[in-house]
């Protein structure tokens, strides 16, 4: 009893001291000295380049140490906690204090031996983590996150046996090796919280974590720690929070673990970004305590979405985005639920939006974008009153939007773009009071009522609809607007618009039939991107446009402009200029090189004359140069400089002469080079094999001559996918050593849709577009950008050596280029047999070896070419029976004419010993697989020409060789006949 009273007294005393001790006794002088020296020896360096990154995360920029003065009691300093009685410093929090530099072994800092809690987060101690940290034996809480410590975590850390919480996260150059990691875990028997995100643990495993651990919270995101999840880290008895995201290094290809424990105590489970495969195991229905489940960005998780996940009563956050889940969204959301965020985006779910979604009355964030959802958008979803973020974009949702809604007063972001929505855009959509971003682009809306648009809007995309009538005037007075897209609609009365956009950064007014430039002078001081392409603008670009210093992206393509190019030499900050498909005449003034910021310069499809200014070869940032289809003459620039960033150069269809400048071999970033249809006279540029990234080489229709020398480099032409040197005067044998080296043509890669197209380098690296959209929309990187680059599919693998004077036999190694889609050796002087190995090119869709002197029989192996749609063997010396079966039954006479020795179907000449056989029954077609073929390419080409010309450099980059047009035409006809 007595001792009980004693305790109570002691407790009271403690509380008393705790509240009033500051005014009584002062802090320990040793500790004070230690702190003062620690402060002075780590200089503040706010704003320096190295520390700025660290500071971006610190909202409070005031260094806590600013209050540390010799004259005051150190226990009263910000960030310092003293023991109420002993007055020793037991707690130190100097996070976000701008401290800098190495903590040396002789630092007084290590005298603070009574520390129980230490927080140095968000400072810049860019040196080895000292082993002396192992001397703070009383520590229970240690936070060294974001300190840029480096090197190995010292083994002495295992002496901190009282630790309850350890956070070493986001020290990218810190590593933890297996031995000391294991020792640490053995000793850390009180450890409840362990956060090691980004620490390099690639040499450690998860295995030391065993059932005896007291861990409640464990985060190993992006550590590279290895081990098989079957070891059931998920079933650790006390574990409530587990983050194993981004450890794909060890997970790749595993299935999600089935639980061995019957009751899992987990409340937070993050397994995102790991390339897990397969479906969600049934045992996940045991996670009844979950509040947060993140399985997003595994890319390969599939199967249906388990009903149980949607019915957990405590779940607030469910993210299954960026996987391959399919089937319908189970319509089971219960009346009582706690969902705040639901993300099923970037999957293959289909069917209608489940009606029980309307039960999710606490929902703040709903993302179902990039799926195959269909049907109408039910009113009930639009009455989820707490929604802040709603994304249903990139689906197949249809019909009109509900006319009236009750309330979405908190909604800041609304994305319905890329669906099949139609009729009038309802009033509520534009007038939601908190709205910042609205994207209704790429639908079939026809009407837009003249309403007061919400003044808060920053981002308004209405492009690519069928909107008619007047644009609400209130749109033009939105003072907060940063991006506006009205492109591709049928608005009337676009004139006398009074623009007033003090903050506007991007304005897209393409394809609106404009005949005059919008009156933007001094109305858009912040404008960076302006797209006026595909209108009817004529004459000369107005003066104010050249005076707009903020402008960096300007698309004026597909108009009727005659403006001289030299005017643009005043637009110093442009990095993107597209004037293609206009009526520009005159020459390309060399003053254009004053705009040293150019990354992309597109002047194609005009009537420009004169020489290409040599200074263009030296523009330090120029990555894409497209001058195709003009009347340029003279020679190519000969002074390409070392480390040129040139990535794409299209100079085709001009009147260029002279030789190929060897300095092009300095352009080591070059991927696409098209010089077709000029008058260049030279030998084969065999120095070009040194370009490591060269993917597309088109030298068609020039005056190139002579034999092609053997390959000189071991690694020449490894990346090449399109090799077109047709219609020249090359002779001697086909360059066999090249074919042997075309490594990229040997691979058959099944690209996912979003990886299929070649991307220009400037867009791939972290330049404007990529970053901007990636950071603004974390989940979707392809929000409707009105710029559609038509691109080359990476599996468009082609060799064209036609119309030269090649002799000798077709090399047998051609059969190794398994990725080939089209092969054209026609109109040469090739002889010998058709190699059987061509039968291995099972992706081939077009084969033209006509007009040569090939002999012997047609190899039976060619019937293996299941995707072959175009076959031309005409005008050779082939003999014997035409093989039958499969695709071969579809080719007509003209595939074979001019070979007097051939017989059998489809020729009318029967073979001697063979009865004429009727063609296979039509059922054959139903059995054959017809995969993506020329149709898609044809459509691509068609669109490129009709719609995409503005930026269609990647479609038109090769032009369309004669044979391709024919082949494509033939292929299409054949397909139609089959239907
Ligand atoms: C702090 O003040 C004490 C006495 O006022 C003095 O002796 C000491 O030198 C001072 N220390 C520093 C670091 O200025
Ligand atoms: C600590 O050691 C460094 C050299 O390692 C020396 O330059 C510095 O003066 C020492 N600091 C103190 C406080 O003794
Ligand atoms: C475990 O902690 C105790 C107490 O701090 C210490 O004496 C011992 O050396 C530690 N063991 C290891 C393996 O570090």
């Amino acid at each position: 009893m007595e001792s009980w009273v004693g305790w109570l007294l002691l407790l009271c005393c403690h509380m008393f001291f705790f509240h009033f001790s500051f005014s009584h006794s002062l802090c320990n002088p040793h500790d004070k000295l230690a702190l003062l020296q620690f402060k002075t020896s780590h200089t503040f360096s706010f704003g320096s380049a190295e520390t700025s990154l660290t500071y971006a995360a610190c909202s409070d920029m005031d260094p806590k140490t600013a209050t540390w003065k010799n004259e005051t009691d150190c226990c009263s300093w910000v960030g310092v906690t003293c023991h109420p009685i002993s007055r020793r410093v037991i707690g130190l929090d100097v996070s976000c204090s701008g401290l800098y530099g190495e903590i040396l072994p002789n630092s007084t800092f290590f005298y603070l031996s009574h520390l129980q809690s230490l927080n140095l987060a968000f400072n810049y101690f860019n040196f080895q983590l000292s082993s002396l940290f192992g001397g703070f034996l009383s520590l229970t809480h240690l936070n060294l996150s974001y300190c840029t410590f480096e090197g190995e975590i010292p083994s002495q850390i295992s002496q901190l046996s009282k630790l309850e919480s350890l956070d070493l996260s986001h020290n990218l150059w810190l590593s933890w090796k297996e031995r000391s990691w294991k020792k640490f875990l053995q000793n850390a028997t009180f450890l409840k919280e362990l956060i090691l995100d980004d620490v390099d643990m690639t040499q450690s495993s998860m295995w030391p974590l065993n059932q005896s651990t007291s861990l409640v919270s464990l985060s190993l995101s992006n550590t590279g720690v290895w081990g098989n999840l079957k070891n059931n880290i998920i079933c650790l008895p006390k574990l409530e929070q587990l983050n194993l995201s981004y450890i794909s290094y060890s997970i790749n290809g595993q299935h999600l673990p089935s639980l061995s424990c019957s009751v899992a105590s987990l409340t937070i489970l993050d397994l995102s970004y790991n390339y897990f495969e397969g479906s969600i195991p049934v045992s996940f229905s045991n996670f009844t305590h979950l509040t947060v489940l993140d399985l997003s960005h595994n890319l390969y998780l599939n199967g249906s979405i388990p009903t149980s996940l949607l019915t957990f009563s405590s779940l607030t956050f469910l993210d299954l985005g960026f996987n391959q889940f399919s089937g319908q969204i189970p319509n089971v959301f219960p009346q009582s639920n706690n969902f705040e965020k639901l993300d099923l985006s970037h999957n293959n779910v289909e069917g209608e939006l489940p009606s029980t979604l309307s039960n999710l009355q606490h929902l703040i964030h709903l993302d179902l974008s990039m799926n195959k959802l269909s049907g109408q958008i039910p009113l009930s979803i639009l009455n989820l009153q707490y929604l802040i973020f709603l994304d249903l974009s990139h689906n197949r949702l249809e019909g009109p939007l509900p006319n009236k809604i009750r309330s979405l007063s908190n909604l800041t972001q609304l994305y319905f773009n890329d669906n099949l929505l139609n009729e009038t855009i309802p009033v509520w959509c534009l007038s939601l009071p908190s709205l910042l971003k609205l994207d209704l682009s790429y639908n079939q809306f026809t009407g837009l009522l003249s309403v007061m648009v919400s003044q808060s809007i920053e981002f308004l995309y209405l492009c690519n609809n069928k909107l008619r009538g007047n644009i609400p005037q209130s749109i033009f007075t939105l003072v907060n607007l940063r991006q506006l897209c009205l492109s591709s609609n049928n608005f009337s009365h676009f004139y006398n618009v009074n623009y007033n956009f003090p903050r506007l950064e991007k304005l897209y007014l393409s394809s609106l039939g404009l005949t005059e430039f919008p009156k933007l002078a001094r109305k858009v001081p912040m404008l960076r991107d302006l797209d006026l392409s595909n209108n009817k603008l004529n004459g000369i670009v107005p003066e104010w446009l050249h005076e707009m210093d903020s402008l960096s992206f300007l698309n004026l393509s597909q108009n009727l402009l005659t403006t001289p190019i030299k005017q643009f030499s005043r637009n110093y900050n442009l990095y993107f200029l597209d004037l293609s498909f206009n009526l520009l005449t005159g020459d390309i003034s060399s003053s254009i090189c004053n705009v040293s910021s150019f990354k992309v310069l597109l002047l194609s499809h005009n009537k420009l004359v004169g020489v290409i200014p040599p200074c263009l070869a030296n523009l330090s940032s120029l990555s894409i140069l497209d001058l195709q289809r003009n009347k340029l003459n003279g020679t190519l620039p000969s002074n390409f400089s070392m480390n040129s960033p040139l990535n794409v150069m299209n100079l085709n269809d001009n009147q260029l002469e002279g030789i190929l400048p060897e300095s092009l071999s300095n352009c080591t970033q070059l991927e696409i080079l098209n010089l077709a249809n000029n008058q260049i006279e030279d030998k084969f540029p065999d120095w070009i094999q040194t370009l490591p990234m060269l993917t597309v080489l088109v030298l068609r229709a020039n005056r190139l001559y002579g034999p092609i020398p053997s390959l000189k480099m071991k690694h020449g032409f490894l990346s090449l996918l399109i090799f077109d040197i047709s219609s020249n005067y090359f002779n001697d044998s086909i360059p066999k050593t090249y074919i042997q080296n075309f490594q990229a043509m040997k691979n058959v890669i099944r690209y996912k849709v979003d990886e299929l197209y070649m991307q220009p380098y400037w867009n791939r690296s972290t330049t404007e577009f990529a970053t901007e959209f990636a950071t603004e929309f974390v989940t979707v990187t392809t929000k409707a950008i009105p710029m559609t680059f038509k691109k080359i599919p990476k599996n468009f693998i082609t060799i064209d050596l036609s119309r030269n004077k090649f002799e000798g036999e077709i090399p047998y190694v051609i059969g190794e280029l398994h990725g080939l889609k089209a092969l054209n050796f026609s109109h040469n002087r090739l002889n010998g047999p058709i190699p059987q190995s061509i039968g291995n090119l099972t992706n081939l869709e077009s084969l033209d070896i006509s007009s040569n002197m090939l002999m012997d029989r047609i190899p039976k192996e060619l019937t293996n070419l299941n995707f072959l749609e175009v076959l031309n063997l005409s005008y050779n010396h082939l003999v014997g029976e035409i093989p039958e079966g499969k695709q071969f039954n579809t080719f007509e006479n003209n595939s074979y004419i001019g070979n007097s020795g051939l017989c059998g179907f489809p020729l009318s000449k029967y073979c001697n010993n063979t009865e004429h056989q009727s063609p296979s029954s039509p059922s054959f077609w139903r059995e054959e697989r017809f995969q993506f073929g020329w149709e898609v390419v044809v459509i691509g080409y068609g669109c490129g020409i009709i719609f995409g010309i503005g930026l269609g450099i990647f479609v038109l980059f090769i032009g369309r060789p004669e044979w391709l047009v024919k082949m494509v035409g033939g292929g299409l006809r054949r397909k139609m006949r089959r239907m």
Side-chain angles (χ1 to χ4, degrees), residues 709-756:
S710 292
L711 203 68
K712 295 213 176 72
M713 287 175 69
K714 197 171 166 204
H715 301 293
F717 290 126
L718 291 183
S719 311
L720 211 60
L721 294 176
I722 295 179
F723 182 57
D724 181 353
I725 57 169
S726 62
S727 299
N728 279 291
Y729 304 100
F730 292 117
N731 61 14
D732 214 336
S733 53
I734 287 178
K736 183 171 139 187
T737 49
Y738 285 22
I739 292 173
Q740 278 167 334
N741 239 39
F742 287 158
Q743 285 302 335
M745 299 198 195
K746 295 182 181 174
N747 306 324
V748 180
I749 300 170
R750 303 268 169 244
Y751 291 101
K752 297 184 74 174
V753 180
D754 52 347
E755 296 164 353
L756 179 60

Side-chain angles (χ1 to χ4, degrees), residues 318-366:
L318 177 62
D319 192 346
L320 303 179
F322 290 87
N323 281 296
Q324 295 177 22
F325 292 110
S326 56
Q328 302 208 1
I329 303 173
N331 192 8
V332 294
F333 295 100
Q335 277 287 344
S336 101
N337 69 77
N338 287 294
F339 276 101
E340 288 174 10
K341 170 167 171 170
L342 177 63
D343 188 338
L344 306 177
S345 66
H346 291 260
N347 278 292
N348 296 317
V349 294
E350 58 190 24
E352 303 207 342
L353 294 168
S355 61
T356 50
L357 268 178
S358 63
N359 288 336
L360 307 183
Q361 285 297 330
H362 306 284
L363 211 57
I364 292 171
H365 182 116
L366 177 60

Side-chain angles (χ1 to χ4, degrees), residues 357-389:
L357 268 178
S358 63
N359 288 336
L360 307 183
Q361 285 297 330
H362 306 284
L363 211 57
I364 292 171
H365 182 116
L366 177 60
D367 190 348
L368 303 176
S369 63
M370 289 277 181
N371 278 295
K372 297 173 182 165
L373 296 167
S374 55
Q376 296 204 10
I377 298 176
L379 179 62
S380 53
I381 289 188
L382 301 174
N383 283 331
L384 297 173
Q385 55 177 330
Y386 296 113
L387 275 183
I388 291 177
F389 179 102

